[in-house]
Amino acid sequence: MPDTVKVGVIGVGKIFPAYVQGCRAFSILELDAVADIDLARAHQQAAEHGVPRALSVDALLADPAIQIVVNLTVPKVHTAVSLAAIAAGKHVYSEKPLAIARAEGQQILQAAAARGVRVGCAPDTFLGGGQQTCRKLIDDGWIGEPVAAVAFMAGHGPESWHPNPDFFYQIGGGPLLDMGPYYLTSLVNLLGPVRRVAGSARASFSQRIATSREHFGRRLPVEVHTHVAALLDFASGPVATLITSFDVWSANLPRIEIYGSEGSLSVPDPNIFGGVVQVRRADSAEWSEAPLLFDAQVGRGIGVADLAHALRRGRPQRASGELAFHVLDAMQAVEESSAEGRHVLLESTCARPAPLPLNLLRGELDGRGNP
């Protein structure tokens, strides 16, 4: 068994409990400390979730025992926090998006390369049972050669339920930057990197009205596009349609479907780790549910565990900074296309992340006997 890798978390917002639970499913990770700009809140969350230490952000970054910093801050400060962790010699795993602008993402990757540390980034949902089953079905030729895809995230925004909805409508928010990483990361995992994009985007309403219990009736100014439609040309050939929206009350749309020369694949919600996978072959009269071939009982934190295993074994991590930067590049290019009225060629690319091996025991990521 390898030694454990000590993890410190910066940011104890709404997603924090999910990371605590997800990280603890992997014995390689030791959740050692938490920090937050609100130190009292860090102490409260540490006590509630059984984390040994609550520290200031500076103290956590200065602690030589912490090897991986998990950055769970709001998007507009992802870059500053990640750069501070890198400067302190820590490996970083960031919540999505990697940054809110392409130049900031490049700065993170360049700083990490110069410091000799690694960058990982959410989402890691593509490592769950549903998405990995879809990956194997495509790789094994069940739908033949992929030729097209669709992906839809259509809802009416988080102001009805989120305790801090403001940042979703501020620079760094919006449906594309908030939810697009799940869909684009899934598509890159299934089809490979994107070559070219086109997009149209609008801000449908100048303000939103919060209806959550904490903020009922409060008006939220809108600084970002809230409905974004994109066309994506993949380097391997397929053309995909992507819509992300906070302006839709209801819709009967698939999450993701992949269309191939020999059939079609229905991919589950990329914001979860399980879901129903369905295949309809060209010679079939109906859809068939495919059993999940990988563990769907994992959670947010599997990407952190994969980074830890990658460090121990000297292999690439799957939820990598390069993958996250390529997704960020694609999203910013969609916005540029809408503003400029042209296709945008992506300058970045990335390796398609390695699939998980079959027959993993729970808590493993590198095959039986290789925890």
Side-chain angles (χ1 to χ4, degrees):
M1 291 287 290
D3 295 333
T4 59
V5 174
K6 288 197 173 185
V7 175
V9 178
I10 298 177
V12 292
K14 188 173 179 62
I15 198 66
F16 172 69
Y19 270 87
V20 172
Q21 181 179 355
C23 287
R24 284 178 173 161
F26 294 92
S27 60
I28 194 172
L29 299 178
E30 181 181 347
L31 187 51
D32 182 55
V34 298
D36 194 270
I37 193 171
D38 182 345
L39 187 54
R41 191 178 184 202
H43 278 285
Q44 183 268 324
Q45 288 291 307
E48 181 175 338
H49 295 285
V51 180
R53 298 187 292 158
L55 305 172
S56 69
V57 172
D58 288 343
L60 187 149
L61 293 177
D63 189 335
I66 301 295
Q67 296 166 271
I68 296 176
V69 169
V70 177
N71 179 0
L72 302 185
T73 57
V74 296
K76 64 184 178 181
V77 297
H78 280 180
T79 298
V81 172
S82 291
L83 288 175
I86 290 166
K90 313 298 186 187
H91 307 285
V92 177
Y93 185 91
S94 175
E95 243 305 311
K96 52 77 191 170
L98 177 66
I100 65 172
R102 189 186 287 120
E104 292 183 359
Q106 290 172 328
Q107 188 179 7
I108 290 170
L109 296 186
Q110 289 167 358
R115 195 68 171 83
V117 297
R118 297 202 192 194
V119 175
C121 188
D124 55 5
T125 43
F126 74 94
L127 298 174
Q131 297 286 321
Q132 285 293 305
T133 296
C134 291
R135 169 68 182 266
K136 183 159 181 58
L137 289 170
I138 289 175
D139 288 354
D140 287 355
W142 278 80
I143 63 169
E145 179 185 351
V147 297
V150 296
F152 300 106
M153 192 297 296
H156 209 264
E159 64 265 30
S160 66
W161 58 270
H162 200 280
N164 179 29
D166 299 72
F167 77 87
F168 290 97
Y169 297 102
Q170 298 169 354
I171 300 301
L176 182 61
L177 222 59
D178 178 52
M179 295 300 294
Y182 295 105
Y183 290 78
L184 283 163
T185 301
S186 173
L187 289 171
V188 172
N189 176 55
L190 297 175
L191 302 175
V194 179
R195 180 181 66 87
R196 185 179 74 161
V197 307
S200 292
R202 65 173 294 186
S204 300
F205 311 101
S206 62
Q207 60 183 7
R208 311 292 284 238
I209 309 299
T211 56
S212 62
R213 178 174 55 83
E214 298 91 340
H215 301 284
F216 189 85
R218 189 157 64 82
R219 297 179 183 273
L220 311 175
V222 175
E223 302 174 353
V224 293
H225 292 132
T226 53
H227 185 96
V228 184
L231 294 176
L232 313 168
D233 295 343
F234 285 81
S236 59
V239 175
T241 301
L242 168 70
I243 292 177
T244 63
S245 183
F246 285 164
D247 297 342
V248 176
W249 283 111
S250 58
N252 287 318
L253 292 167
R255 297 293 186 171
I256 298 175
E257 288 184 351
I258 310 294
Y259 308 118
S261 59
E262 304 297 330
S264 299
L265 175 66
S266 177
V267 180
D269 184 347
N271 193 15
I272 64 174
F273 290 88
V276 175
V277 175
Q278 292 184 307
V279 179
R280 183 168 175 176
R281 302 263 292 171
D283 57 357
S284 175
E286 58 186 20
W287 291 88
S288 299
E289 183 173 341
L292 300 190
L293 304 174
F294 301 86
D295 189 4
Q297 302 306 310
V298 294
R300 283 168 170 80
I302 186 174
V304 184
D306 189 66
L307 173 57
H309 281 287
L311 292 170
R312 286 287 183 258
R313 300 178 65 82
R315 62 164 173 81
Q317 65 269 32
R318 294 176 172 92
S320 68
E322 289 73 21
L323 171 60
F325 178 77
H326 183 62
V327 167
L328 174 63
D329 188 17
M331 293 189 295
Q332 186 163 348
V334 168
E335 294 277 6
E336 290 170 349
S337 172
S338 179
E340 300 169 12
R342 64 180 180 90
H343 279 93
V344 176
L345 291 170
L346 269 62
E347 295 186 5
S348 72
T349 188
C350 67
R352 198 173 171 219
L356 292 176
L358 286 170
N359 302 317
L360 290 174
L361 295 177
R362 184 156 294 176
E364 290 183 349
L365 289 172
D366 284 303
R368 188 163 295 178
N370 297 297

